[in-house]
Amino acid sequence: MIEAPGRVRNLAPPPTFATVEEERLHRKHRLAGAFRLFARFGFDEGVAGHITVRDPGHTDWFWVNPFGMHFSQIRASDLILVNDKGEVVEGNHPVNTAGNHPVNTAAFAIHSRVHAARPDTVAAAHAHSMHGKAWSSLGRLLDPITQDACAFYQDHALFDDYTGVVYETTEGDRIAQTLGQGKAVILRNHGLLTVGSSVDEAAWWFITMERSCQAQLLAEAAGRPVLIAHENALVTRNQVAGGMNGWFQFQPMWNMISRQEPDLFE
């Protein structure tokens, strides 16, 4: 049992696994659940968006959603495993009688480079969420105007160079370089990308970052928000985003979606 910074004591830690196979299945379950939650939050738009999780056995490969499949329908068995060359090596399920689900080229171009640049990153999330893409058009970082927004204070970056849909890994390299060691990057005129040491963490950072974008858009539409002082913003960041907070914040959502939509385990 451990203590989360600024939280209650004796929290159960994240699970550990006896085998690679057990860990792989766990990651796939969480990934399917994260997609279901993204659908519920309205983070789906056509075929845009992707969440990836590193395979525990082949650490330069990752699992991702099949291109063209709605987030709300994704099951663990639908996920595809992509190698470091962008090839689907497992899980190619039929989208219809005429063909198969390919890998999203943009997903490979971005996520493969982020995973390569950040060995500590197990998962990465990107979607064209409404408030994230609206905020991204301003070409600004989030300000520390709320307790929740402080999770990103001096821990996110701005990729200030939109050139179109990301099809080349060279642009993925530049995004990864801009991300640095932070938990998130705002892709100007595009949207948000978050990373974490688990699917749970990466998904939670995306959800709360999207809401922080919404909060700042609303606040600035109403007036001039009061910023939290630098020292207090840093303290708050450590309280709401330190240690295992990102993982733990996701657990109520996971419990809800896994009980209400158990077919995600299939």
Side-chain angles (χ1 to χ4, degrees):
M1 309 294 278
I2 60 178
E3 177 181 359
R7 302 289 182 176
V8 297
R9 298 175 182 271
N10 300 323
L11 294 176
T16 56
F17 306 94
T19 67
V20 167
E21 290 74 20
E22 287 180 8
E23 186 169 10
R24 177 179 295 121
L25 187 59
H26 173 83
R27 291 184 181 186
K28 290 175 68 177
H29 286 162
R30 295 298 168 120
L31 187 56
F35 282 118
R36 299 292 184 99
L37 286 167
F38 272 34
R40 289 221 181 175
F41 282 113
F43 298 164
D44 51 323
E45 181 157 337
V47 298
H50 17 86
I51 313 173
T52 56
V53 64
R54 194 187 299 272
D55 184 80
H58 304 276
T59 56
D60 55 348
W61 298 4
F62 59 78
W63 294 89
V64 67
N65 49 307
F67 190 39
M69 188 171 190
H70 196 270
F71 289 177
S72 67
Q73 297 179 324
I74 293 176
R75 304 165 299 174
S77 60
D78 294 314
L79 299 169
I80 58 177
L81 180 61
V82 180
N83 67 16
D84 56 339
K85 298 179 179 64
E87 301 165 336
V88 176
V89 296
E90 186 176 334
N92 206 9
H93 291 269
V95 64
N96 52 45
T97 57
N100 295 316
H101 282 297
V103 62
N104 185 328
T105 302
F108 178 75
I110 297 173
H111 290 250
S112 66
R113 308 322 300 154
V114 169
H115 282 292
R118 289 284 298 275
D120 62 308
T121 290
V122 170
H126 166 67
H128 295 183
S129 55
M130 179 60 70
H131 302 99
K133 64 183 179 181
W135 179 259
S136 76
S137 72
L138 302 179
R140 293 169 51 193
L141 295 174
L142 285 168
D143 292 322
I145 65 170
T146 66
Q147 175 174 296
D148 297 319
C150 286
F152 302 97
Y153 185 64
Q154 295 190 344
D155 199 23
H156 73 299
L158 172 66
F159 183 69
D160 193 20
D161 185 21
Y162 180 80
T163 58
V165 178
V166 182
Y167 288 137
E168 302 296 334
T169 55
T170 52
E171 184 158 355
D173 284 326
R174 293 192 294 118
I175 291 172
Q177 183 178 11
T178 301
L179 170 66
Q181 295 303 306
K183 65 165 60 73
V185 59
I186 297 170
L187 309 176
R188 197 199 72 203
N189 304 110
H190 190 171
L192 312 176
L193 184 142
T194 58
V195 299
S197 59
S198 62
V199 171
D200 312 55
E201 190 176 11
W204 168 251
W205 294 140
F206 190 96
I207 291 166
T208 192
M209 191 177 198
E210 161 70 11
R211 287 173 164 174
S212 293
C213 291
Q214 181 180 10
Q216 187 155 356
L217 288 166
L218 289 170
E220 292 195 358
R224 185 175 181 179
V226 176
L227 272 60
I228 297 171
H230 169 72
E231 296 79 6
N232 294 332
L234 288 176
V235 169
T236 305
R237 184 189 71 191
N238 292 335
Q239 292 172 332
V240 302
M244 58 173 279
N245 275 297
W247 175 86
F248 186 65
Q249 292 266 30
F250 184 78
Q251 300 318 300
M253 295 181 179
W254 164 255
N255 291 336
M256 178 271 292
I257 201 70
S258 62
R259 291 178 184 178
Q260 292 184 359
E261 301 185 23
D263 63 309
L264 71 85
F265 292 100
E266 294 176 2

